Amino acid sequence: QVQLVESGGGLVQPGGSLRLSCGASGSIFSINGMGWYRQAPGTQRELVATITKRGITNYADSVKGRFTVSRDNAKNTEYLQMNSLKFEDTAVYYCNAQIVTVTTTFPYTKEDDYWGQGTQVTVSS
């Protein structure tokens, strides 16, 4: 069974920084795309940043220049470095990954979409 576990959320003042981590564990064959999403109260979940297996990144306009997504393929872990945090960054942050696992039937691997449980980030003075 595959799990994604996030850590690093918390309370921070405007202008501050936080670093989120998301580790994948279980019977993993490989991990393709990874990403971070967030959901503020009363809003839909929105994309924050994504990163391919080769390290190509994509960011929401609202976080460009402030957030940096990265990954360590050897550790099956991704990170989100958040700098210059603003009130509007307050949300529950979710990590996401497309994970390939081994199966007993042809083609013997399959890719599924996995989500972490979410970690709260609160920006407040």
Side-chain angles (χ1 to χ4, degrees):
Q1 189 172 358
V2 173
Q3 281 189 318
L4 293 179
V5 178
E6 299 132 343
S7 61
L11 174 64
V12 64
Q13 292 185 339
S17 298
L18 279 177
R19 189 191 194 207
L20 305 183
S21 299
C22 174
S25 62
S27 300
I28 298 170
F29 180 75
S30 66
I31 301 178
N32 292 327
M34 303 184 84
W36 291 93
Y37 292 73
R38 67 187 181 186
Q39 188 169 18
T43 70
Q44 290 188 329
R45 191 173 296 188
E46 63 175 5
L47 180 145
V48 175
T50 60
I51 183 167
T52 68
K53 192 171 185 177
R54 294 186 177 184
I56 298 171
T57 58
N58 179 57
Y59 296 93
D61 288 342
S62 59
V63 307
K64 280 181 182 176
R66 300 187 298 122
F67 290 11
T68 302
V69 61
S70 60
R71 62 190 285 176
D72 184 332
N73 291 331
K75 296 182 178 179
N76 289 337
T77 300
E78 66 167 334
Y79 307 95
L80 184 67
Q81 178 66 43
M82 304 185 292
N83 298 329
S84 302
L85 282 159
K86 304 176 180 180
F87 292 118
E88 52 264 42
D89 294 318
T90 296
V92 177
Y93 284 70
Y94 298 90
C95 67
N96 169 262
Q98 288 77 58
I99 297 177
V100 179
T101 56
V102 175
T103 67
T104 58
T105 58
F106 183 82
Y108 304 113
T109 59
K110 67 169 185 171
E111 180 185 276
D112 290 297
D113 208 38
Y114 290 86
W115 291 89
Q117 80 285 359
T119 185
Q120 177 71 45
V121 171
T122 302
V123 184
S124 175
S125 54

